[in-house]
Amino acid sequence: MDILKKIQDHREDQKKLKWEGTFADYLDLLKERPYLAQSAHSRVYNMIKHKGVTEREDGVKTYSFFSDALYGLDEALERLVEEYFHPAARRLDVKKRILLLMGPVSGGKSTLVALLKRGLEEYTLTDEGAVYAIKGCPMHEDPLHLIPPHLRSDFEEQYGVKIEGSLSPLNTMRLEKEYDGRIEDVMVERIFFSEDKRTGIGTFSPSDPKSQDIADLTGSIDFSTIAEYGSESDPRAYRFDGELNKANRGIMEFQEMLKCDEKFLWHLLSLTQEGNFKAGRFALISADELIVAHTNESEYRSFIANKKNEALHSRMIVMPVPYNLRLSEEERIYEKMIKESDIKDVHIAPHTLRVAAMFTVLSRLKESNRGSISLLKKMYLYDGQNVEGYSDADVLEMKKEYADEGMSGIDPRYVINRISSTIIKKEMTSINALDVLRSLKDGLDSHASISKDDKERYLNFISIARKEYDEIAKKEVQKAFVYSYEESARTLMENYLDNVEAYCNKTKLHDPLTGEEMHPDEKLMRSIEEQIGISENAKKAFREEILIRISAYARKGKKFNYQSHERLREAIQKKLFADLKDVVKITTSSKTPDEQQLKKINEVVATLIDEYGYNSTSANELLRYVGSLLNR
């Protein structure tokens, strides 16, 4: 569809959503849809729920609202929603607190707030998130404030809606002068949140405390109108255009809040606790808004160390937003950042971003108190992978060891900056894992905030990631060398399973060609089991476990296949690879390959391109590198 047509259709859709009527008309709407009267906190919570909630196998809730932009923060987001937004939506005491997101740089705090703001803009376009306000009010005030205090208990009994807040000075005057006190005639309109239009979403960023005016927060007197209205205390002579005014009914982002001058912060005490703030020469002005701020840990520690900040600190709910600690999610973060950049057309060889993610996740982990587990194993466990000797219960225990795990380490921007730097400096059109690891290593020298001790640790993590890549690269090439790899693997597995079944049931096998009875092939079974370190003593238990798994699949009507048992699959792969190692070694390292070898290399390159996502350059680089590894 033509873009101008889409713009026109959008404009028409917006027109259809508009609504205007009297307060009496609004009450009719409220009878049918009581949820229209929800508070700002309730609106945010319902907006998140509206997109969908699922539960992971480990019991952690995941929210679709965040899933396309924030990766690997499921636990932190569940805590945020269930410990802040949910109780605040139910009018519990946390509603009277500033939400302070605390975490390391580039950890997702700003993205989270931006998501909430963009989400509210979209949500107010829906029926469930519709917002109505007194028409012409600069603070888009809740029409229910028109109900006199002495009638509010009756209103709650009749409509099931609790009213909080008082009518603003401006609307109090308008009610008398424009409507002659007839509340039912006051005009009400539907509004749509927009940060650009300063409706329901406000953003305050501190600047020079000597020049920044409190009016940026609370509005100011319009001196050009004083002659007309005769007094500075006339609400018509006041501009209700501060960020707190404009964010009413929605969300107010306080950027770098802890760097603010004290005079700006004290206004928040009354707003959070009592739901009002002081502006001009008026009584307290009611405001219903979610205040969210973000900071890093060092600023937060300095803030709470200052005794003068105790009152404000007691009105904060601090939510840690750590770095992601899941390897596969870190890889998704890089994919997203690259897709949004100008380097998206550069070919990035498979596993490149995964290897970079290994380095960054390792830098964020803390050594477990369990001496037997390395950081590498811990990284794989956190990513949901099976590590022999450890269970889900062990993972939960490890996560409880450190409350601040993930609050330090290498940030995603560093990785993307290094990838960009490599591409731009060398004008590369294709990069691989070794290019990125080399660039990450070079960048440590110019990283001002990295101490000598940290640098040594990080160099060690680069070395670990390199070793992991060596194994990945060898497997990748060996897989490509196997003719009809999946078919070969299935055939070998079926053979192994036939022998295991005969061994466990103490029966014999029949030779398909001669019809002779044969004993189970112990040599074949051990050659596969030894690939994953199954000892002679443990072989019987392993084989019985395989049969139990096959039986369980059969009971559920499922077919046990090559992918059904992670460790058996690994053993089959390694056995095939071991049988092929010499062929791979000779073919990849030959400087003058013969015709047969050249044909094999071309087949492998074609497989790497067609099946595994390489291009011609990265496939040939991979073959040369693996050849050098196998010749060491």
Side-chain angles (χ1 to χ4, degrees):
M1 191 188 293
D2 179 75
I3 190 67
L4 292 175
K5 179 71 167 65
K6 286 184 178 181
I7 292 170
Q8 185 182 341
D9 289 347
H10 176 70
R11 190 165 58 244
E12 292 302 316
D13 290 341
Q14 293 281 75
K15 282 182 183 175
K16 289 175 189 174
L17 291 175
K18 287 184 178 178
W19 182 93
E20 188 176 302
T22 64
F23 181 64
D25 297 330
Y26 173 66
L27 289 185
D28 290 337
L29 280 182
L30 206 57
K31 270 184 185 173
E32 298 171 20
R33 294 146 63 194
Y35 56 81
L36 294 177
Q38 62 190 328
S39 66
H41 290 79
S42 176
R43 189 171 293 110
V44 171
Y45 175 64
N46 288 327
M47 169 189 73
I48 294 168
K49 270 205 326 178
H50 180 68
K51 289 281 187 179
V53 186
T54 55
E55 199 167 301
R56 285 191 338 215
E57 288 182 8
D58 58 2
V60 175
K61 289 180 181 176
T62 60
Y63 304 90
S64 300
F65 180 82
F66 302 109
S67 60
D68 291 336
L70 293 170
Y71 306 128
L73 296 179
D74 292 344
E75 286 93 342
L77 293 171
E78 182 186 31
R79 194 164 56 246
L80 172 66
V81 174
E82 296 304 323
E83 294 182 18
Y84 182 78
F85 289 132
H86 190 184
R90 303 288 293 273
R91 300 181 189 271
L92 294 174
D93 210 47
V94 293
K95 181 189 174 192
K96 300 176 180 179
R97 303 287 181 272
I98 299 166
L99 174 61
L100 180 65
L101 305 174
M102 182 186 70
V105 294
S106 192
K109 303 183 299 295
S110 299
T111 303
L112 200 163
V113 178
L115 271 177
L116 293 173
K117 293 197 288 189
R118 297 295 80 76
L120 275 175
E121 288 180 340
E122 292 176 18
Y123 190 55
T124 57
L125 295 171
T126 67
D127 180 66
E128 295 83 359
V131 184
Y132 293 82
I134 296 173
K135 188 179 180 184
C137 173
M139 285 182 59
H140 21 269
E141 188 169 4
D142 186 345
L144 294 185
H145 286 181
L146 291 162
I147 302 287
H150 69 278
L151 294 177
R152 290 186 177 183
S153 57
D154 294 340
F155 180 85
E156 184 177 354
E157 192 175 317
Q158 185 178 346
Y159 285 83
V161 174
K162 185 178 178 67
I163 301 174
E164 292 179 333
S166 304
L167 196 61
S168 66
L170 177 61
N171 285 322
T172 300
M173 177 176 281
R174 288 181 64 208
L175 177 62
E176 293 304 317
K177 291 187 178 294
E178 294 178 28
Y179 297 101
D180 198 25
R182 292 179 58 81
I183 291 171
E184 63 272 28
D185 292 341
V186 174
M187 293 304 293
V188 174
E189 64 180 347
R190 183 173 178 180
I191 61 168
F192 306 99
F193 287 0
S194 167
E195 185 171 22
D196 293 339
K197 295 177 181 177
R198 301 185 74 216
T199 305
I201 298 173
T203 304
F204 181 79
S205 186
S207 57
D208 180 7
K210 292 178 182 176
S211 60
Q212 192 162 29
D213 193 344
I214 198 70
D216 292 349
L217 267 187
T218 61
S220 60
I221 296 169
D222 184 353
F223 289 101
S224 65
T225 61
I226 291 176
E228 180 183 351
Y229 297 120
S231 169
E232 291 182 14
S233 58
D234 190 309
R236 292 169 298 179
Y238 197 83
R239 287 193 292 255
F240 293 90
D241 60 356
E243 294 303 322
L244 292 181
N245 307 109
K246 294 299 182 182
N248 186 33
R249 314 290 299 285
I251 187 169
M252 162 77 177
E253 179 188 8
F254 227 111
Q255 295 179 346
E256 303 297 342
M257 179 175 144
L258 303 187
K259 291 179 180 174
C260 270
D261 188 81
E262 289 177 9
K263 67 182 179 183
F264 294 97
L265 299 180
W266 298 132
H267 273 278
L268 303 182
L269 292 177
S270 174
L271 179 57
T272 52
Q273 194 64 35
E274 307 299 334
N276 51 45
F277 63 93
K278 192 80 173 75
R281 300 180 180 181
F282 311 116
L284 292 168
I285 296 174
S286 294
D288 171 32
E289 53 199 81
L290 161 65
I291 299 177
V292 58
H294 37 93
T295 187
N296 60 48
E297 196 168 4
S298 58
E299 282 180 359
Y300 176 69
R301 298 295 168 211
S302 301
F303 175 77
I304 60 175
N306 186 343
K307 294 291 182 185
K308 290 196 300 183
N309 295 327
E310 281 183 357
L312 191 62
H313 181 232
S314 69
R315 287 170 172 79
M316 288 178 179
I317 293 284
V318 181
M319 283 288 168
V321 182
Y323 282 133
N324 158 59
L325 298 178
R326 291 173 69 98
L327 178 62
S328 52
E329 296 296 293
E330 188 71 12
E331 196 176 353
R332 288 182 70 198
I333 291 171
Y334 301 152
E335 287 169 356
K336 176 176 177 276
M337 293 173 82
I338 286 168
K339 198 179 288 185
E340 294 170 350
S341 74
D342 290 336
I343 61 173
K344 60 179 178 290
D345 296 328
V346 173
H347 173 76
I348 298 175
H351 311 295
T352 299
L353 299 182
R354 186 169 187 79
V355 171
M358 286 179 188
F359 164 64
T360 45
V361 172
L362 285 169
S363 76
R364 299 165 187 173
L365 295 174
K366 292 180 180 283
E367 295 280 356
S368 174
N369 295 328
R370 303 170 176 219
S372 61
I373 187 161
S374 66
L375 283 182
L376 189 66
K377 285 182 179 177
K378 188 176 185 182
M379 177 188 75
Y380 286 131
L381 282 168
Y382 274 19
D383 198 40
Q385 298 183 42
N386 291 323
V387 175
E388 189 177 359
Y390 297 94
S391 65
D392 291 342
D394 294 312
V395 177
L396 287 173
E397 287 301 315
M398 279 186 271
K399 287 182 177 179
K400 290 175 184 175
E401 285 182 338
Y402 301 100
D404 62 342
E405 190 168 47
M407 297 297 278
S408 61
I410 296 290
D411 66 278
R413 283 186 196 141
Y414 174 74
V415 175
I416 297 301
N417 290 344
R418 295 312 304 165
I419 290 174
S420 305
S421 175
T422 303
I423 291 167
I424 291 165
K425 279 182 184 175
K426 300 183 179 178
E427 296 184 352
M428 298 169 93
T429 57
S430 172
I431 61 168
N432 59 37
L434 295 176
D435 296 322
V436 172
L437 286 176
R438 204 176 294 118
S439 183
L440 290 171
K441 182 180 178 182
D442 294 344
L444 295 177
D445 292 326
S446 56
H447 203 302
S449 62
I450 294 178
S451 66
K452 186 179 178 183
D453 289 344
D454 280 342
K455 184 181 175 183
E456 286 181 15
R457 281 177 57 244
Y458 294 162
L459 288 172
N460 181 47
F461 296 147
I462 288 174
S463 176
I464 291 171
R466 167 76 178 267
K467 286 174 184 171
E468 288 299 291
Y469 175 65
D470 289 352
E471 292 305 309
I472 291 169
K474 283 188 280 189
K475 283 183 182 179
E476 198 87 313
V477 170
Q478 287 165 335
K479 273 198 295 185
F481 261 87
V482 178
Y483 178 72
S484 298
Y485 171 68
E486 291 293 333
E487 190 59 42
S488 303
R490 276 194 292 273
T491 303
L492 182 58
M493 189 193 75
E494 292 295 340
N495 198 356
Y496 173 77
L497 292 178
D498 288 342
N499 282 277
V500 164
E501 189 173 2
Y503 169 85
C504 292
N505 294 333
K506 295 184 174 57
T507 58
K508 291 184 178 180
L509 293 162
H510 286 86
D511 188 305
L513 295 176
T514 65
E516 288 181 67
E517 286 193 335
M518 303 178 301
H519 289 287
D521 189 342
E522 186 65 25
K523 187 177 178 183
L524 170 73
M525 290 187 287
R526 291 303 295 143
S527 71
I528 291 170
E529 291 157 359
E530 284 169 352
Q531 300 295 330
I532 53 171
I534 302 293
S535 66
E536 185 70 27
N537 292 333
K539 70 181 184 183
K540 186 172 184 291
F542 180 73
R543 293 169 188 176
E544 287 172 346
E545 180 201 325
I546 297 289
L547 281 191
I548 290 168
R549 180 74 65 90
I550 292 171
S551 176
Y553 268 65
R555 280 200 310 274
K556 294 176 182 175
K558 295 181 183 177
K559 182 173 171 54
F560 186 89
N561 60 35
Y562 168 61
Q563 306 284 348
S564 301
H565 193 287
E566 183 69 31
R567 296 193 67 215
L568 177 58
R569 182 170 65 122
E570 183 186 352
I572 296 287
Q573 285 178 353
K574 286 186 173 179
K575 169 62 178 164
L576 284 172
F577 296 162
D579 294 344
L580 277 166
K581 187 171 182 180
D582 289 339
V583 178
V584 176
K585 185 175 175 181
I586 292 165
T587 309
T588 56
S589 59
S590 178
K591 290 183 181 176
T592 54
D594 59 31
E595 188 178 338
Q596 191 63 30
Q597 289 171 339
L598 198 59
K599 182 184 177 187
K600 193 67 182 170
I601 288 173
N602 289 336
E603 284 177 4
V604 171
V605 168
T607 301
L608 288 170
I609 293 170
D610 296 339
E611 302 294 328
Y612 301 123
Y614 290 82
N615 68 359
S616 178
T617 304
S618 59
N620 281 289
E621 285 173 347
L622 179 71
L623 282 177
R624 284 195 295 272
Y625 181 62
V626 170
S628 71
L629 287 176
L630 294 175
N631 277 306
R632 285 177 188 172

